[in-house]
Amino acid sequence: MNLFTHFQTAIVGLIEDLVAAGDLPHGLDVARITVEPPRDLSHGDITTNAAMVLAKPAHKNPREIAVLLAAKAEALPGVEAVEIAGPGFINMRLNKTFWQARLRDVLDASLSYGDSSFGGGVKVNVEYVSANPTGPMHVGHARGAVFGDALASLLDKAGFSVTREYYVNDAGSQVNVLARSTHLRYLEALGEDIGPIPEGYYPGDYLVPVGKALAKRDGDKWKDAPESEWLEDFKAFSIAAMMDLIKQDLDALGVEHDVFTSELDLVSAGKVDEGLAFLKEQGLLYQGVLEPPKGKLPDDWQAREQLLFKATEFGDDVDRPVQKSDGTWTYFATDMAYHLDKFRRGYASMIDVWGADHGGYVKRMQSAIKALTGGQGDLDVKLCQMVSLSENGKPFKMSKRAGTFITLRDVVDKVGKDVVRFIMLTRKNDAGLEFDFAKVTEQSRDNPVFYVQYAHARVNSVMRMAVEEMGQDVITDEAIGGADLNRLVDAAELNLIKVLAQWPRMVESAAAAHEPHRVAFYLNDVAAEFHGLWNKGKDNKSLRFIVANDKELTLARLAMIRAVANVVASGLAVFGVTPVNEMR
RNA sequence: GCGCCCGUAGCUCAGCAGGAUAGAGCACCAGAUUCCUAAUCUGGGGGUCGUGGGUUCAAAUCCCGCCGGGCGCACCA
């Protein structure tokens, strides 16, 4: 349970009682009432702004309302003390029994602790990666991949019905380039000297095996044939090969998708025409000429009449072209059709994860969705900023030509998927991220991956030690599970439990904000609290987890630290990171 | 020129749908280990939250202007 929403409901109930008793007027809006942890823990465990929010509509002094509410709040189960502070905050301190019961919650729920019905089963579509099928993934893709994957897991944990989707851009001109590049490699495989790969082709040697495969399959059949004869086939073959490559990369990263949607299929199925026909009916398409962009003018710019979508009616800055001069659809047109398709599949709530360089595209897509769904659909675009690679602070310059191009696979092979995933989630998606090969594998307090993993490992270490000291017939899962949690009364222990009990709320708020990085900071807090308590045992032997002459207390404390491992593992599961039992 | 994002301690960053005296790590200073892993912990100094207005009982948080940085600006995806 989220203890804050629990008390929010309770407080609203108290307000209703006061209304019924005539102490407060009818018709008060309680939506703005919050129950949250206070900034300063000395203020108590939970605090509410209820009195301040109600003051104006109730035509009463906030402190007056606070007095009424506080008197009733004292009787709420779990509440130990209530204080009124500042301009009208009502601060509540919860009793030991309440916290011990929360620890029981953690232990009972195990890995599912923090699962919530917050999302109410609402369908959400999260689209991420969607890298062009023209080559293996590079590090830039990794951030979006991990972010999208973690966000999807987070939403899932928070009770949304999530679909993880990948949009395959297999219809544009890029894939024609891919096909031609493969053809070159095909010629090469037949023994021709192709020389250096010309400008405008994909130079990567990942196409070499694709060319070879085609040479093996078809011999020299396409050697002198005109492009029109082999293009479609080479394209399909190359795309399939590239998607294999990408899926292998995703697999190495532990990133999964439920659905791969092909742009080509979408176009062939007539979805683009369908979507545009709808816009036309609405009178949202017209032939027009766009103003030249201000500032630096492209060299080849020329005024041209084209088919435009009235994006400005839905909040965009200019109207947007949907058709290229050769008559084919723009990327935007197919993307509109794609999002309409998602909406029709039941996803009113859509999240797209893009690179920051696509930021200029957000408004037009959102305006299109407004138009296409009559305002029923919602798109949140999460832009992921650049990842800059470095080693011991020295920036890693990436260059395809110089051969220092770093693929996703290189990074995963070097530091492991768990490190990559965790680090990618330690910053807000819209902030730049530095990935230092030396720092991310360092075993120190600086390195959040290590620090959090170490907390999990340390719990296991203590468990092993306890078995060693007290015997495996004493320290059993059953004994720990049945431990008397009332023995946990020290303030330091209760503080640790309090941090653990924040997890359900953390899941909900991070999910609501679409910000998985909050989980990383929370896990760091959990680890800090745990390491802190461990260390207190150094100064004060009575606080050690293993107390030789007190089996019951030891079992209770082992239950407590098992809960720590539980919450850490539950959080890491959202990140797709495997908790470790030993630091090696 | 326009749009989007960002500006918080010396450095790297948190700040939870506006809440009380703005936090953490690093670095710096002072400490802790015959002891469950010191791979850690405790304490201390350090901030006009870029800036000027506005809304509010309450603004780092919301709105507007300005300054500084990043990204993007038909017919590429």
Side-chain angles (χ1 to χ4, degrees), chain A residues 340-380:
Chain A
L340 176 60
D341 182 60
K342 284 197 236 184
F343 178 73
R344 288 187 175 163
R345 277 188 273 141
Y347 303 104
S349 177
M350 297 172 256
I351 301 174
D352 285 4
V353 179
W354 298 347
D357 54 340
H358 290 57
Y361 201 78
V362 176
K363 274 194 189 178
R364 95 178 60 170
M365 203 58 239
Q366 286 175 332
S367 62
I369 284 169
K370 267 186 216 157
L372 289 162
T373 68
Q376 298 299 301
D378 179 71
L379 171 68
D380 185 15

Coordinates of all heavy atoms in Angstrom, one line a residue, chain A residues 340-380:
Chain A
L340 N -2.0 7.3 -35.6 CA -3.5 7.1 -35.7 C -3.8 5.6 -35.5 O -4.7 5.2 -34.8 CB -4.0 7.6 -37.1 CG -5.5 7.3 -37.3 CD1 -6.3 8.0 -36.2 CD2 -5.9 7.8 -38.7
D341 N -2.9 4.8 -36.2 CA -3.1 3.3 -36.0 C -2.9 2.9 -34.6 O -3.7 2.1 -34.1 CB -2.0 2.6 -36.9 CG -2.1 1.1 -36.9 OD1 -3.2 0.6 -37.2 OD2 -1.2 0.4 -36.4
K342 N -2.0 3.4 -33.9 CA -1.8 3.1 -32.5 C -3.1 3.5 -31.7 O -3.5 2.7 -30.9 CB -0.6 3.9 -31.9 CG 0.8 3.3 -32.2 CD 1.8 3.9 -31.3 CE 2.9 4.6 -32.0 NZ 4.0 5.1 -31.1
F343 N -3.5 4.7 -32.0 CA -4.7 5.2 -31.3 C -5.9 4.2 -31.5 O -6.6 3.8 -30.6 CB -5.1 6.6 -31.8 CG -6.3 7.1 -31.2 CD1 -6.3 7.6 -29.9 CD2 -7.5 7.2 -31.9 CE1 -7.5 8.1 -29.3 CE2 -8.7 7.8 -31.3 CZ -8.6 8.2 -30.0
R344 N -6.1 3.8 -32.8 CA -7.2 2.9 -33.1 C -7.0 1.5 -32.5 O -8.0 0.8 -32.3 CB -7.3 2.8 -34.6 CG -7.9 4.1 -35.2 CD -8.2 4.0 -36.7 NE -8.8 5.2 -37.1 CZ -9.0 5.6 -38.4 NH1 -8.5 4.8 -39.3 NH2 -9.5 6.7 -38.7
R345 N -5.8 1.2 -32.2 CA -5.5 -0.1 -31.5 C -5.8 0.0 -30.0 O -5.6 -0.9 -29.3 CB -4.1 -0.5 -31.7 CG -3.8 -1.3 -33.1 CD -2.4 -1.8 -33.1 NE -1.4 -0.9 -33.6 CZ -0.2 -0.8 -33.1 NH1 0.2 -1.5 -32.1 NH2 0.6 0.1 -33.6
G346 N -6.3 1.2 -29.6 CA -6.7 1.3 -28.2 C -5.8 2.1 -27.3 O -6.0 2.1 -26.1
Y347 N -4.8 2.7 -27.9 CA -3.8 3.4 -27.1 C -4.1 4.9 -27.2 O -3.6 5.6 -28.0 CB -2.4 3.1 -27.5 CG -2.1 1.7 -27.4 CD1 -2.0 0.9 -28.6 CD2 -1.9 1.0 -26.2 CE1 -1.7 -0.5 -28.5 CE2 -1.6 -0.3 -26.1 CZ -1.5 -1.1 -27.3 OH -1.3 -2.4 -27.2
A348 N -4.9 5.4 -26.3 CA -5.1 6.9 -26.2 C -3.9 7.5 -25.6 O -3.6 8.7 -25.8 CB -6.4 7.2 -25.4
S349 N -3.2 6.7 -24.8 CA -2.0 7.3 -24.2 C -0.8 6.7 -24.9 O -0.6 5.5 -24.8 CB -2.0 6.9 -22.7 OG -0.8 7.3 -22.1
M350 N 0.0 7.6 -25.5 CA 1.2 7.1 -26.2 C 2.4 7.8 -25.7 O 2.4 9.0 -25.4 CB 1.0 7.4 -27.7 CG -0.1 6.7 -28.4 SD -0.4 7.3 -30.1 CE -1.9 8.3 -29.8
I351 N 3.5 7.1 -25.6 CA 4.8 7.7 -25.2 C 5.8 7.4 -26.3 O 5.9 6.2 -26.7 CB 5.2 7.2 -23.9 CG1 4.2 7.5 -22.8 CG2 6.6 7.8 -23.5 CD1 4.5 6.9 -21.4
D352 N 6.5 8.3 -26.8 CA 7.5 8.1 -27.8 C 8.8 8.5 -27.2 O 8.9 9.6 -26.5 CB 7.3 8.9 -29.1 CG 6.2 8.4 -30.0 OD1 5.5 7.4 -29.6 OD2 6.0 9.0 -31.1
V353 N 9.8 7.7 -27.3 CA 11.2 8.0 -26.9 C 12.0 8.3 -28.1 O 12.3 7.5 -28.9 CB 11.8 6.9 -26.1 CG1 13.2 7.2 -25.6 CG2 10.9 6.5 -24.9
W354 N 12.5 9.6 -28.1 CA 13.3 10.0 -29.3 C 14.6 10.6 -28.8 O 14.8 11.0 -27.7 CB 12.6 11.1 -30.1 CG 11.3 10.8 -30.7 CD1 10.7 9.5 -30.8 CD2 10.3 11.7 -31.2 NE1 9.5 9.6 -31.4 CE2 9.2 10.9 -31.6 CE3 10.2 13.1 -31.3 CZ2 8.1 11.5 -32.2 CZ3 9.1 13.6 -31.9 CH2 8.0 12.9 -32.3
G355 N 15.5 10.7 -29.8 CA 16.8 11.4 -29.5 C 16.5 12.9 -29.5 O 15.5 13.4 -30.1
A356 N 17.3 13.6 -28.8 CA 17.1 15.1 -28.6 C 17.1 15.8 -29.9 O 16.5 16.9 -30.1 CB 18.1 15.7 -27.6
D357 N 17.8 15.3 -30.9 CA 17.9 16.0 -32.2 C 16.6 16.0 -32.9 O 16.4 16.7 -33.9 CB 19.0 15.4 -33.1 CG 18.8 13.9 -33.2 OD1 18.1 13.2 -32.4 OD2 19.4 13.3 -34.2
H358 N 15.6 15.2 -32.4 CA 14.3 15.2 -33.0 C 13.3 16.2 -32.3 O 12.1 16.1 -32.6 CB 13.7 13.8 -33.1 CG 14.4 12.9 -34.0 ND1 15.7 12.7 -34.0 CD2 13.9 12.2 -35.1 CE1 16.1 11.8 -34.9 NE2 15.0 11.6 -35.6
G359 N 13.8 17.0 -31.4 CA 13.0 17.8 -30.6 C 12.1 18.7 -31.4 O 11.0 19.0 -31.0
G360 N 12.6 19.2 -32.6 CA 11.8 20.1 -33.4 C 10.6 19.4 -34.0 O 9.8 20.1 -34.6
Y361 N 10.5 18.1 -33.8 CA 9.4 17.3 -34.4 C 8.2 17.1 -33.5 O 7.2 16.7 -33.9 CB 10.1 16.0 -34.8 CG 9.3 15.2 -35.8 CD1 9.5 15.5 -37.2 CD2 8.5 14.1 -35.5 CE1 8.8 14.8 -38.2 CE2 7.8 13.4 -36.5 CZ 8.0 13.8 -37.8 OH 7.3 13.0 -38.8
V362 N 8.5 17.4 -32.2 CA 7.5 17.1 -31.2 C 6.1 17.8 -31.4 O 5.1 17.2 -31.4 CB 8.0 17.5 -29.8 CG1 6.9 17.2 -28.7 CG2 9.3 16.6 -29.5
K363 N 6.2 19.1 -31.6 CA 4.9 19.9 -31.7 C 4.1 19.4 -32.9 O 2.9 19.3 -32.8 CB 5.3 21.4 -31.9 CG 5.4 22.1 -30.6 CD 5.4 23.6 -31.0 CE 5.8 24.4 -29.8 NZ 5.8 25.9 -30.1
R364 N 4.8 19.1 -34.0 CA 4.0 18.8 -35.2 C 3.3 17.4 -35.0 O 2.2 17.2 -35.4 CB 4.9 18.8 -36.4 CG 5.5 17.5 -36.9 CD 6.3 17.7 -38.1 NE 7.4 18.7 -38.0 CZ 8.4 18.9 -38.9 NH1 8.3 18.2 -40.0 NH2 9.3 19.7 -38.7
M365 N 4.0 16.5 -34.3 CA 3.4 15.2 -34.0 C 2.2 15.3 -33.1 O 1.2 14.7 -33.2 CB 4.5 14.2 -33.5 CG 4.1 12.8 -33.7 SD 3.9 12.4 -35.5 CE 2.3 11.8 -35.5
Q366 N 2.4 16.1 -32.0 CA 1.4 16.3 -31.1 C 0.2 17.0 -31.7 O -1.0 16.7 -31.4 CB 1.9 17.1 -29.9 CG 2.8 16.2 -29.0 CD 3.4 17.0 -27.8 OE1 3.7 18.2 -27.9 NE2 3.7 16.3 -26.8
S367 N 0.4 18.0 -32.6 CA -0.7 18.6 -33.2 C -1.4 17.7 -34.1 O -2.6 17.7 -34.2 CB -0.2 19.9 -33.9 OG 0.7 19.5 -35.0
A368 N -0.7 16.8 -34.8 CA -1.3 15.8 -35.7 C -2.2 14.9 -34.9 O -3.3 14.6 -35.3 CB -0.2 15.0 -36.4
I369 N -1.7 14.5 -33.7 CA -2.5 13.6 -32.9 C -3.8 14.2 -32.4 O -4.8 13.6 -32.4 CB -1.6 13.0 -31.8 CG1 -0.7 12.0 -32.3 CG2 -2.5 12.4 -30.6 CD1 0.4 11.5 -31.4
K370 N -3.7 15.5 -32.1 CA -4.9 16.2 -31.7 C -5.9 16.2 -32.8 O -7.1 15.9 -32.6 CB -4.6 17.7 -31.4 CG -4.3 17.9 -29.9 CD -4.1 19.4 -29.6 CE -3.0 19.7 -28.6 NZ -2.4 21.0 -28.7
A371 N -5.4 16.5 -34.0 CA -6.3 16.5 -35.2 C -6.9 15.2 -35.5 O -8.1 15.0 -35.7 CB -5.5 17.1 -36.4
L372 N -6.1 14.2 -35.5 CA -6.5 12.8 -35.9 C -7.4 12.1 -34.9 O -8.2 11.3 -35.3 CB -5.3 11.9 -36.1 CG -4.4 12.3 -37.4 CD1 -3.0 11.6 -37.3 CD2 -5.1 11.8 -38.6
T373 N -7.3 12.5 -33.6 CA -8.0 11.8 -32.6 C -9.1 12.6 -32.0 O -9.7 12.3 -31.0 CB -7.1 11.3 -31.5 OG1 -6.6 12.4 -30.7 CG2 -5.9 10.5 -32.0
G374 N -9.3 13.8 -32.6 CA -10.3 14.7 -32.0 C -10.0 15.1 -30.5 O -10.9 15.2 -29.7
G375 N -8.7 15.1 -30.3 CA -8.3 15.5 -28.9 C -8.4 14.4 -27.9 O -8.1 14.6 -26.7
Q376 N -8.7 13.2 -28.4 CA -8.8 12.1 -27.4 C -7.5 11.4 -27.1 O -7.3 10.8 -26.1 CB -9.8 11.0 -28.0 CG -11.2 11.5 -28.3 CD -11.8 11.9 -27.0 OE1 -12.0 11.1 -26.0 NE2 -12.2 13.2 -26.9
G377 N -6.6 11.5 -28.1 CA -5.3 10.9 -27.9 C -4.3 11.8 -27.3 O -4.4 13.0 -27.4
D378 N -3.3 11.2 -26.6 CA -2.3 12.0 -25.9 C -0.9 11.4 -26.2 O -0.7 10.2 -26.1 CB -2.5 12.0 -24.4 CG -1.5 12.8 -23.7 OD1 -1.5 14.1 -23.8 OD2 -0.6 12.2 -23.0
L379 N 0.0 12.3 -26.6 CA 1.3 11.8 -26.9 C 2.3 12.6 -26.0 O 2.4 13.8 -26.0 CB 1.7 12.0 -28.3 CG 3.2 11.8 -28.7 CD1 3.6 10.3 -28.6 CD2 3.5 12.3 -30.1
D380 N 3.1 11.8 -25.2 CA 4.2 12.4 -24.5 C 5.5 12.0 -25.1 O 5.7 10.8 -25.3 CB 4.2 11.9 -23.0 CG 5.2 12.6 -22.2 OD1 5.8 13.7 -22.6 OD2 5.5 12.2 -21.0

